[in-house]
Amino acid sequence: MKIKYSNLTISTPENPPKNFSLTLKKTLQTDKAIGLENAMVSDRGNCVSSVAFSVENSRKTPALAEEFCIEFLREISKLPPSPLEIIFGEGESKKSFIIENAAMSKCKASVEGRITSHSLEFTAGEAGE
């Protein structure tokens, strides 16, 4: 799996994401009419997508890992809402899932020796017609 956000490649097949999850939440309206046994549920057409995952990177020294950890946070926090592209497979079986206008909503970073870990969350909404 490869994950790209704006012009930044976050994850590659050689360094895949961990704990990948995709959540889709729709806004529903429930109407309870007098005299009816069951409520009417309507899809309002609004939808919020959330993608969360972690990615680890290794550096040659602990000092370089600390520097990368901070620089990655600075770089990704400056990016405006952009397409989040998730690419599955390779060659002819390659497929892409794009979430338009995604915004980074959370990033938690940590360093342990030469290893950096970034837990990221992206959110995007789609308005109903």
Side-chain angles (χ1 to χ4, degrees):
M1 179 185 302
K2 181 176 182 178
I3 300 175
K4 293 171 63 177
Y5 180 62
S6 186
N7 60 348
L8 181 65
T9 298
I10 299 173
S11 176
T12 64
E14 296 78 28
N15 186 26
K18 296 181 178 190
N19 303 316
F20 180 87
S21 69
L22 175 60
T23 304
L24 185 69
K25 184 174 182 183
K26 297 185 99 181
T27 303
L28 303 176
Q29 178 177 329
T30 304
D31 297 314
K32 299 176 184 174
I34 297 173
L36 288 180
E37 193 172 308
N38 297 320
M40 296 289 295
V41 178
S42 304
D43 182 352
R44 302 294 294 170
N46 297 327
C47 185
V48 176
S49 301
S50 180
V51 176
F53 58 91
S54 298
V55 65
E56 291 184 347
N57 289 285
S58 176
R59 295 292 179 248
K60 290 185 179 186
T61 67
L64 289 173
E66 291 166 357
E67 181 181 345
F68 174 77
C69 185
I70 293 167
E71 289 304 318
F72 182 84
L73 282 174
R74 283 186 182 162
E75 184 179 355
I76 201 163
S77 70
K78 291 178 183 176
L79 295 174
S82 303
L84 179 68
E85 184 176 14
I86 303 159
I87 303 162
F88 302 91
E90 295 179 21
E92 289 186 23
S93 65
K94 180 177 166 182
K95 293 184 180 176
S96 178
F97 177 66
I98 298 174
I99 299 174
E100 296 293 340
N101 208 30
M104 186 194 65
S105 52
K106 184 178 181 181
C107 183
K108 180 180 177 183
S110 63
V111 179
E112 188 172 324
R114 299 180 311 111
I115 307 297
T116 62
S117 178
H118 291 87
S119 297
L120 299 143
E121 185 174 306
F122 294 88
T123 304
E126 189 175 305
E129 303 268 329

